[in-house]
Amino acid sequence: MIERLRRRIRGRAGAAAAAALAASVLLAGVLAFPAAATPFRWTSDGDVATIDPYGRNETFLLSFLANIYEPLARRDASLHLEPALAVSWEQTAPDVWRFHLRENVVFHDGSPFTADDVLFSLKRARHPVSRMQSKIARIVEARKVDDHTVDLVTDGPDPILPDEICEWLIMSRSWAERNGTAEPADLSNGKESYASRNANGTGPFMLKERQPDVRTVLVPNPHWWDKARHNLDEVTFLPIANDATRVAALISGEIDMLYAVPPQDMQRLSKTPGLRILEAPELRVVFFGMDQRSEGDGAGGARNPFKDLRVRQALYQAIDIEAIRTKVMRGSAVPVGNLVGRGVHGYDAEADARFPYDPAAAKRLLAEAGYPNGFAFTMDCPNDRYFNDAAICQAVVAMFARIGVRADLNLQTRNRHFGMLNQGKSRFYMLGWTPATYDAHNVILNVMMTPDGKGQGTVNYGGYSNPRIDALGRAIAVENDPARRDAMIGEALMIHRAEFGHLPLHQQTIVWAVRDGVHVAQFGDNAFPLRLVRLD
């Protein structure tokens, strides 16, 4: 197999070929596992950071862990909310949601699932180092009615609480306490606990093996409460960073599915016999954020340029979004003008209108702000998280250079990148956000509102702040009248647009590749539920 991969990458640039060959050697090792009747092997360009469901608020990670752990309510193949660990729910008061829990459910270790596990999971998710605080931010109290009934009390009316908690995965109290992991470890500081590499959920798959950055193996849960719609005997996830090696593994048959196809390989794979390309629009918006809290520039200077609206607008108008769409993304992106994209409730076409690409205007704005010769900063970007993320950042560095701004690019793995963001160490960064509720309030709450350490502004790493948006965000959360609620959403989006609180880029297209005979459900939030995978 190594020689086959060597031939496939022959002729590429030396460094790239060497990297691909080195990765192929690793691939040969990790693929050496016993065959099963219906094994499924899939790959992406980066690993999941942890097996602890409260370690990081990231779509790929939470999607992966949702195969092991489960929420009270989940999404079906049409993205509609449906029962999971709760069979039904209703509001018993404007600020109280009652959840009726599913009976006769057991965790993977055989212990019963009860209301005590929900109360414990809420407490654990609230821990200061938990990254799930935004998911349960509206919940102020959980009350055990009986072993299979829980009341969740919110800080005022919350018409969409079931939608808000569909990524809050429930853990076993007895297992966590028995293994010394009643509190999550601080992943941003590189710490681990027993739950970082071990798992005990109620979901359709159980963790069999975990080798970080090498492979993670799952097997079906024979005691799952739901009727299995998959026919898999074993699932092996293999993170392969090198694009050439990842694609070669799919073509040669060692891999059944490629999650996130490199743009340069889309046409090739679409014409390869035995393979299929799957495409769908994604709800996620990819954008840049900036440090708007610090007084200094981070390099000993007295001014922070990102605090000046004219600078933020200049950077926005220096980005040639059409060039990114056509040349970098090769058409697999829809440019946006705000952080709430098409397909999300509350989308506002007026707020989504982009300001024009205008480098001459950008230079004038910089001069007006007192930076006629530009300035310098470090641009932090992942190289394995978003569709063509490294290439986007490289292109934007060149675009900024045209207006005299020097961005020193720092490319790193998603795990290092998000660790840096969670520690507040980045002044200019790339990020993407998918509202788990499919509602604009999720974006406003997490990305636009002022961080308060209590679930508000959890990924507003740059500290953008506007009191009116904060007030609107709080009002939207409790407003039951749809027309008034949508009007407030539109106002918040227009304020954020006018202040260039972040620099929006696009909604990327989800592009997967599978072998013939592999049937998967492709969600608009880029989640990948193994429970819906079938092999011919």
Side-chain angles (χ1 to χ4, degrees):
M1 186 193 75
I2 296 175
E3 181 56 31
R4 291 202 307 271
L5 293 179
R6 183 185 291 115
R7 288 198 298 270
R8 287 189 180 94
I9 61 175
R10 185 173 296 147
R12 295 179 181 267
L21 181 56
S24 72
V25 175
L26 171 63
L27 180 64
V30 299
L31 286 173
F33 55 85
T38 50
F40 178 66
R41 303 150 301 180
W42 65 293
T43 183
S44 185
D45 51 5
D47 197 14
V48 291
T50 179
I51 301 299
D52 189 328
Y54 303 163
R56 181 165 289 163
N57 188 0
E58 179 198 350
T59 298
F60 182 75
L61 172 65
L62 293 175
S63 169
F64 187 92
L65 296 184
N67 296 301
I68 302 171
Y69 294 94
E70 294 178 294
L72 298 180
R74 71 187 184 192
R75 300 284 176 184
D76 65 14
S78 300
L79 298 182
H80 297 135
L81 206 62
E82 68 175 4
L85 290 181
V87 294
S88 63
W89 47 85
E90 73 272 352
Q91 282 184 283
T92 58
D95 60 348
V96 178
W97 279 89
R98 175 162 291 180
F99 287 82
H100 301 277
L101 307 182
R102 192 176 298 276
E103 299 186 24
N104 301 315
V105 173
V106 296
F107 287 94
H108 297 160
D109 66 356
S111 61
F113 161 68
T114 70
D116 290 333
D117 300 304
V118 177
L119 269 61
F120 165 77
S121 295
L122 178 64
K123 180 180 179 181
R124 194 177 191 273
R126 280 179 169 159
H127 190 274
V129 303
S130 166
R131 299 303 172 186
M132 288 295 104
Q133 295 180 34
S134 66
K135 306 295 183 185
I136 44 91
R138 298 294 313 281
I139 303 172
V140 296
E141 184 184 0
R143 300 170 183 162
K144 177 180 175 180
V145 179
D146 57 42
D147 281 349
H148 293 94
T149 310
V150 172
D151 283 348
L152 299 181
V153 184
T154 57
D155 58 349
D158 187 350
I160 62 169
L161 180 69
D163 295 272
E164 292 170 341
I165 61 174
C166 64
E167 288 186 327
W168 170 38
L169 305 175
I170 304 301
M171 299 183 69
S172 163
R173 173 183 175 179
S174 61
W175 177 84
E177 293 178 345
R178 186 169 64 249
N179 291 288
T181 186
E183 297 179 350
D186 189 353
L187 183 63
S188 64
N189 287 323
K191 296 180 180 179
E192 288 193 346
S193 71
Y194 187 79
S196 301
R197 300 195 183 205
N198 299 274
N200 182 42
T202 59
F205 290 87
M206 304 184 297
L207 181 65
K208 175 182 177 181
E209 179 184 350
R210 170 66 174 165
Q211 296 185 43
D213 298 318
V214 179
R215 68 177 175 185
T216 301
V217 182
L218 307 180
V219 293
N221 173 12
H223 304 296
W224 189 35
W225 57 268
D226 201 2
K227 180 180 179 181
R229 280 168 280 180
H230 68 85
N231 64 342
L232 310 178
D233 289 337
E234 186 171 87
V235 176
T236 300
F237 171 65
L238 303 162
I240 305 172
N242 184 268
D243 288 350
T245 306
R246 212 162 54 250
V247 170
L250 179 68
I251 293 174
S252 64
E254 285 91 5
I255 293 296
D256 300 305
M257 174 183 168
L258 201 165
Y259 180 99
V261 175
Q264 68 273 15
D265 292 300
M266 286 179 58
Q267 186 174 14
R268 175 191 176 194
L269 290 176
S270 67
K271 295 180 179 179
T272 301
L275 301 181
R276 289 180 292 125
I277 290 286
L278 306 177
E279 294 186 70
E282 188 177 25
L283 300 180
R284 181 192 322 275
V285 167
V286 179
F287 59 91
F288 288 114
M290 302 152 284
D291 172 20
Q292 297 173 56
R293 277 187 290 215
S294 303
E295 292 304 322
D297 65 359
R303 299 173 62 199
N304 175 0
F306 302 128
K307 291 175 74 72
D308 193 311
L309 184 152
R310 294 166 296 186
V311 171
R312 300 196 299 272
Q313 181 175 351
L315 295 177
Y316 181 117
Q317 294 198 262
I319 297 174
D320 187 347
I321 198 67
E322 185 62 17
I324 291 175
R325 185 189 73 82
T326 58
K327 297 178 181 178
V328 180
M329 298 298 287
R330 305 192 184 198
S332 296
V334 177
V336 296
N338 210 286
L339 303 187
V340 174
R342 296 166 181 82
V344 176
H345 176 81
Y347 169 78
D348 187 289
E350 183 180 5
D352 193 41
R354 281 192 68 90
F355 288 85
Y357 165 60
D358 192 338
K363 288 182 179 180
R364 290 194 299 270
L365 286 165
L366 287 178
E368 291 173 13
Y371 300 95
N373 299 316
F375 57 94
F377 62 92
T378 298
M379 177 189 291
D380 297 309
C381 293
N383 58 13
D384 61 356
R385 178 61 190 97
Y386 309 113
F387 196 23
N388 234 21
D389 43 16
I392 295 170
C393 291
Q394 290 164 349
V396 172
V397 165
M399 293 170 188
F400 284 170
R402 294 173 193 157
I403 64 169
V405 172
R406 188 179 82 246
D408 298 318
L409 183 57
N410 175 36
L411 290 173
Q412 53 192 345
T413 65
R414 68 177 71 167
N415 290 339
R416 290 182 178 275
H417 181 69
F418 290 126
M420 172 182 285
L421 295 186
N422 287 328
Q423 294 179 68
K425 293 183 177 180
S426 179
R427 302 196 64 244
F428 190 101
Y429 55 88
M430 171 180 272
L431 192 64
W433 189 254
T434 304
T437 60
Y438 307 105
D439 185 273
H441 177 259
N442 179 272
V443 183
I444 296 168
L445 171 69
N446 287 282
V447 190
M448 299 182 191
M449 292 177 71
T450 307
D452 67 354
K454 300 177 182 179
Q456 175 179 299
T458 56
V459 294
N460 183 1
Y461 298 114
Y464 166 77
S465 181
N466 181 291
R468 178 57 181 164
I469 287 183
D470 291 344
L472 286 166
R474 290 188 291 269
I476 292 164
V478 300
E479 180 56 65
N480 287 310
D481 182 86
R484 286 200 296 266
R485 191 173 186 273
D486 287 351
M488 289 189 290
I489 288 173
E491 182 183 350
L493 298 186
M494 288 301 291
I495 292 171
H496 182 266
R497 176 180 184 268
E499 293 191 333
F500 301 90
H502 296 78
L503 308 183
L505 295 175
H506 53 242
Q507 287 179 278
Q508 60 189 20
T509 300
I510 304 171
V511 185
W512 298 347
V514 298
R515 299 189 59 75
D516 284 348
V518 176
H519 305 282
V520 303
Q522 194 171 35
F523 286 23
D525 60 1
N526 215 359
F528 181 42
L530 293 169
R531 72 178 191 272
L532 302 178
V533 176
R534 293 192 63 84
L535 305 182
D536 290 342

